[in-house]
Every structure is written in structure tokens, then in C-alpha cells.
Amino acid sequence: MAKNEQFVSQIADIETEFPQWYTDVVLKTKLVDYGPVKGTMVIRPYGYAIWENIQREMDSRFKAAGVENAYFPLLIPMSFMTKEAEHVEGFAPEVAVVTHAGGAKLEEPLAVRPTSETIIGHMMGKWVESWRDLPLRVNQWCNVMRWEKTTRPFLRTSEFLWQEGHSVYATSEEAERETLSMLQLYEDFAKTVLCMPVLTGRKTEKEKFAGAVATYGMEAMMHDGKSLQSGTTHYMGQNFAEAFDIQFTDKDGTLKHGYTMSYGVSTRLIGAIIMTHGDQRGLVLPPPVAPVQAVIVPIAQKKEGVLEACRALEERLRAAGIRVKVDDSDNSPGWKFNEWEMKGVPVRIELGPRDIESGKMTVFRRDTCEKGDGYLLSDAEELIHGLLGSISDNLYLKAQKRMQERIVPADDLDALLAGVNGGCFVRAGWCGCRECEDRVKEYAQATARVMAKENTSEKCVVCGKPSVHTVFFARAY
Ligand code: ZN
């Protein structure tokens, strides 16, 4: 067992060295590796398979909502970037620019897209002519580049993968409604696919997207009590429609500007999964996105009939729609147990000569690390399906309980500081002024994550003036 112990000890302590724990987990489970250019990441097959599952689940929800996929160019003329004043100011520090190509200096520099409002706005301006063309709702799955100074795999990298949806509507009501309904779609997705509870709400002016009228976000609490912004939706009003001449002739014959909105989630969601559900043994993957949902480990696999029985079970489970794999490598069963536990596979089935003889199997569930024998092989499909469902439920409830227990109120800055120091989100009143928001950042290194739907506070946590918004403050990734 020495080899196994060594295996576990290679991961830093989750409670006392969380950042190192994260790095150990993403590298040792082969989710990612560092790219040769500083700040870039290589998503390895095991990590990419999680992304594909996220993508498939999310994409089917978009399609059910009536959104169509398209693809827009990676390169954006710099002149586009400068058309919306706030947008260019917000993104300028992060934009990578192509100045040379084909061995010559370009006439106009080209931005490598940090987000595509401008180029999609430009195209919408061409495509939209009459009220009959509206609404226009497109989404693209692509990469974007934002030159970041400090980077961490999945959480903040110079290049990442995401989806960005963009819609234009005839009225502000419709565009605002879509902004909220996409936030709702994200929240449902987080709950049912990632087993992750989130707080949703409107962002403050300081935290909103550059160029938006209003930004809404979903925030998830990580193992260390810090917040991870896991998805955002933006209502743009007519800011981009005016900048890019997105105009239509309305039913009454008059020419009007449309109202646009956008929404996005990225490979950051993989970081969210890792830091929401992971434990000392490594990853704990939610069954809906786990590349392998059940691994079958043969016991005494050289004995006659063992591997055959494992393969037969694998075939049955696969036919039942379960992502399953037999680990028939030369490693010892104990080594395999540790390996697959570290990789977060939700269910492990152990099958040896005695099990096969008695028509039973031993089953281990990764979320609780409980192991039970005596499960009937003949019922395997139903049993494993049921178990995957119960693991999803349990992961969500566990994370929800942690979040509920760790949202604390504060009446003053010291209480707020004590709250975030204790790994909590702090719910507090705010007068709405930028100075007080800046003061929270300076005093407690915490930021306004989202505003609560209702103001239930009496006074501002900083200045004591009447509260205008109740805000969730936290330290954030
Ligand atoms: Zn104040």
C-alpha cells in the first residue's frame, strides 16, 4: 500500500494550503498543463471531456430556448473596439493586438477578440432592417483572449473557451426579460448539471460589464469561502445599437435603434466544479459532466472469467446510457482505487471471482466515500442510474448547506472583515455610493458580488447612511 499512500500525500492539504491543493489537483488529474506562452493553458483530454459535457448540456438548453449557433471572426478591426466609449476603456488593458501579418505591417491593427459585442454588433447592423428581422438571437462557442497579469488554470488565463450569446430586440422590455431569463437558465444549469448552488443578482456599477446598462451575475461559493463569478448576462440598452447602427423600420414605418443583450459562461465553470466539490482525495465530479461516470475495477483480473464479466457489465451499463470504463491496466486494485478517486469518478464497481460467483458487485460512491457490497449484478443498470442521481442530489445539498451556513450579516466594516476572514459571504446594507464600495475593498479586500433582489438592510455597512441595496460582499477569484 506504500504506493497508494504516496499517491494521496502528493496533494497539498485542502484546508491549510487550498491554492496549492488546486494546482496539485488540476495537474495530477491531467485536466490541464501549462502552455509554453505564459498565462496560457493546455486543456488535456480529461479536462476537455468535462468541457464537452458542459457544452452539450448547455447547448441543448440554448436550442430549446430558440437560440441559434453561428461563428464570427477571431480578428476585430481596432476601429470597432473604439466605437463604444466605455467598452474600449474597459477592455483596452487586456486586448492583444495583431500589427503585422504576411510579412508586412497592417494598415489597421486588429484586436484578438476579448469578447465579440463589437463585431457581432457590426454584423447585426447589416442584417437587421425591419421589425420582421427581430428578435435576432445568436450564440457562438469560441475562444477569447484577455491578456492577464496573474493567471491560474481555468480561473484566469490569457486565452479561454466560452460561449457568448448576443441578441437584439425591438424593445427594451424584451431585451431586459431575455437578460433575466438567461440568468435563470444559467442558475438552473448550475444546479442540475454542476450540482452547484449559486447566488444571482444585479452587479453594481463598478462591477458591471464595460458598455452595459446592467450586468447580472451568478456567484458560487468555493471550498475556501471565496466567490467565483461563474456566469454573467448583460443588458446593453441601445449603447451598442447606436455605436453599430443596429436600426430597424418598425411597424409604424419609423426607423428605430434596437436593444441588445449578451451572456456568457466559460471554461471557468470547470474551476468552479473543482473548488465546489473537491476534497482531500482530489476531484469529485458531478455525474452529469463526469467523463467517466462509473469505473469497473477487476479484482484478481488474471483469474478466469473476471475480465469477461467486467466487460459484459461494461457493455450493459453503456447500453443503458452510462459513461463507463473497465480499468484493465497492470496496476494493483489499490492503486486504481486511488487513481480514480483522485480523478473524481462518481461510482466505482469492484468485481472479483467471489462477486461473480454470487451474482453481486461491490460499489463505492465518491461523494461520501462509502462502500457497500451485495448489490445484485442483475440490477446493475437501475442501481447505477439511481446511485448517480443520488450522488448529484447529495453534492448539491452539501454545497447548498455550506453556502447557507456561510452567509453572515454585518452591520459595520469590522464585522464585514471578520466575516470574509472566516471564509464567509457577507450580507450587508449599502448606500449605493462608489466611495463606500471602494472602502470595503480597501478595508476587507472584498468586493460587491451581487445585489440582493430586495433591500432588507437599514444602513450602509460603511457610512451608516440609509441602505439602498443589500449586497453580498466576498473575496473573489
Ligand atoms: Zn455608504
Side-chain angles (χ1 to χ4, degrees), residues 444-461:
Q445 299 79 53
T447 47
R449 303 318 305 157
V450 290
M451 298 189 278
K453 277 146 201 109
E454 284 170 43
N455 176 33
T456 52
S457 312
E458 282 175 17
K459 61 189 187 68
C460 174
V461 69

Side-chain angles (χ1 to χ4, degrees), residues 142-161:
C142 65
N143 59 341
V144 286
M145 182 162 280
R146 296 178 186 178
W147 217 253
E148 302 277 3
K149 288 193 181 68
T150 48
T151 57
R152 301 190 67 196
F154 296 122
L155 304 179
R156 203 171 285 280
T157 49
S158 297
E159 182 188 358
F160 57 88
L161 303 182

Side-chain angles (χ1 to χ4, degrees), residues 224-371:
D224 59 353
K226 281 166 79 172
S227 187
L228 186 73
Q229 179 175 297
S230 309
T232 46
T233 70
H234 316 287
Y235 169 61
M236 310 296 191
Q238 295 183 309
N239 294 348
F240 286 86
E242 283 168 5
F244 292 95
D245 293 325
I246 309 174
Q247 285 182 298
F248 67 99
T249 309
D250 208 350
K251 289 174 187 167
D252 60 8
T254 60
L255 197 60
K256 295 176 180 169
H257 281 107
Y259 294 82
T260 66
M261 57 80 63
S262 69
Y263 48 99
V265 296
S266 71
T267 34
R268 239 188 174 206
L269 289 179
I270 299 174
I273 293 169
I274 298 165
M275 294 196 294
T276 298
H277 303 301
D279 65 14
Q280 190 54 53
R281 299 189 195 192
L283 291 174
V284 179
L285 294 178
V289 298
V292 179
Q293 295 171 310
V295 62
I296 301 170
V297 176
I299 308 297
Q301 72 182 35
K302 295 217 167 68
K303 286 247 168 79
E304 205 192 323
V306 171
L307 262 184
E308 288 77 2
C310 289
R311 297 229 183 280
L313 179 60
E314 180 188 35
E315 217 164 282
R316 280 174 53 200
L317 293 177
R318 184 168 295 141
I322 295 164
R323 294 189 287 273
V324 58
K325 175 191 171 72
V326 175
D327 183 351
D328 59 359
S329 66
D330 283 341
N331 297 312
S332 72
W335 196 93
K336 292 176 188 176
F337 294 173
N338 277 327
E339 164 100 343
W340 293 108
E341 282 170 26
M342 186 175 75
K343 290 180 96 102
V345 172
V347 172
R348 180 175 77 232
I349 301 166
E350 301 166 22
L351 210 51
R354 248 182 303 161
D355 303 291
I356 295 162
E357 202 179 317
S358 59
K360 290 178 177 161
M361 57 187 181
T362 299
V363 173
F364 171 89
R365 54 186 286 178
R366 177 64 181 89
D367 61 330
T368 57
C369 294
E370 286 166 344
K371 186 158 148 169

Side-chain angles (χ1 to χ4, degrees), residues 430-433 436 460-465:
W430 175 51
C431 64
C433 88
C436 289
C460 174
V461 69
V462 182
C463 68
K465 286 181 190 157

Side-chain angles (χ1 to χ4, degrees), residues 293 317 319-322 379-390:
Q293 295 171 310
L317 293 177
I322 295 164
D379 297 344
E381 293 93 337
E382 203 180 322
L383 276 168
I384 302 304
H385 264 304
L387 196 51
L388 292 172
S390 117

Side-chain angles (χ1 to χ4, degrees), residues 190 194-200 203 217-231 268-269 271-273 275-277 399 402-403 425 449-450 474-477:
L194 310 179
C195 309
M196 184 174 83
V198 290
L199 285 179
T200 57
K203 295 261 172 189
M218 69 170 180
E219 300 281 325
M221 181 182 278
M222 302 294 100
H223 184 91
D224 59 353
K226 281 166 79 172
S227 187
L228 186 73
Q229 179 175 297
S230 309
R268 239 188 174 206
L269 289 179
I273 293 169
M275 294 196 294
T276 298
H277 303 301
R402 178 177 69 207
M403 189 165 84
F425 285 7
R449 303 318 305 157
V450 290
R475 293 201 177 125
Y477 281 94

Side-chain angles (χ1 to χ4, degrees), residues 156-169:
R156 203 171 285 280
T157 49
S158 297
E159 182 188 358
F160 57 88
L161 303 182
W162 78 345
Q163 61 71 214
E164 51 178 321
H166 299 263
S167 305
V168 54
Y169 285 90

